[in-house]
Amino acid sequence: MTSSNTDRLIKLGDTDRTVADPAEDIRGRDVKDSNGEDIGKVSGLLIDEAEGKVRLVEIASGGFLGIGTDTTFIPVDAITAITDEEVRIGQTRENVSRAPSYDPELASQRDTYEGLFGYYGYAPFWGLGYAYPAYPHYR
């Protein structure tokens, strides 16, 4: 993938695009960590303009462990299970609370994404050999 594909991630809600299968639209669902603890709600999906694939999940939280009402982003690769009510991720609440902060002014910079993916232990989506994760059908 070329760097132009990593230069622009946009919120799905800010485009005229939609999720192909409405049942797979996870916005509004609760987010639980690997221990079943509440993290927040999926408030948005960041997609890359070139491929239209979800790359980051935006999570809004209500204030715990240093996370205020600000948002945090988690790579879609971290999702381990999805039900009609919730999204499970393979990270702990504590790990999410220490994630690199998101600055909208830096969001289009490759280093920001690389740091975020690296923090969570995933290869960046533009790297050689990257395979987009399958939608976890654990309903």
Side-chain angles (χ1 to χ4, degrees), residues 6-110:
T6 63
D7 288 342
R8 184 111 163 104
L9 291 185
I10 54 176
K11 271 189 165 181
L12 179 62
D14 292 342
T15 72
D16 59 353
R17 297 178 185 186
T18 60
V19 176
D21 180 354
E24 293 182 358
D25 189 347
I26 61 174
R27 290 175 287 184
R29 295 183 193 179
D30 293 328
V31 179
K32 306 276 186 174
D33 76 356
S34 57
N35 299 317
E37 299 289 326
D38 289 325
I39 292 180
K41 285 196 178 284
V42 176
S43 58
L45 304 171
L46 287 178
I47 63 170
D48 68 68
E49 282 190 308
E51 294 184 39
K53 291 185 176 179
V54 176
R55 301 300 185 179
L56 297 172
V57 176
E58 179 182 32
I59 300 173
S61 60
F64 61 90
L65 297 175
I67 298 177
T69 55
D70 292 331
T71 58
T72 188
F73 291 86
I74 296 177
V76 69
D77 312 71
I79 296 173
T80 59
I82 296 174
T83 69
D84 291 335
E85 293 83 32
E86 69 184 34
V87 175
R88 292 266 180 155
I89 62 168
Q91 302 287 324
T92 64
R93 182 170 72 170
E94 291 78 17
N95 195 41
V96 172
S97 73
R98 293 186 303 263
S101 61
Y102 173 76
D103 182 345
E105 297 300 316
L106 300 177
S108 64
Q109 295 181 12
R110 186 178 188 140

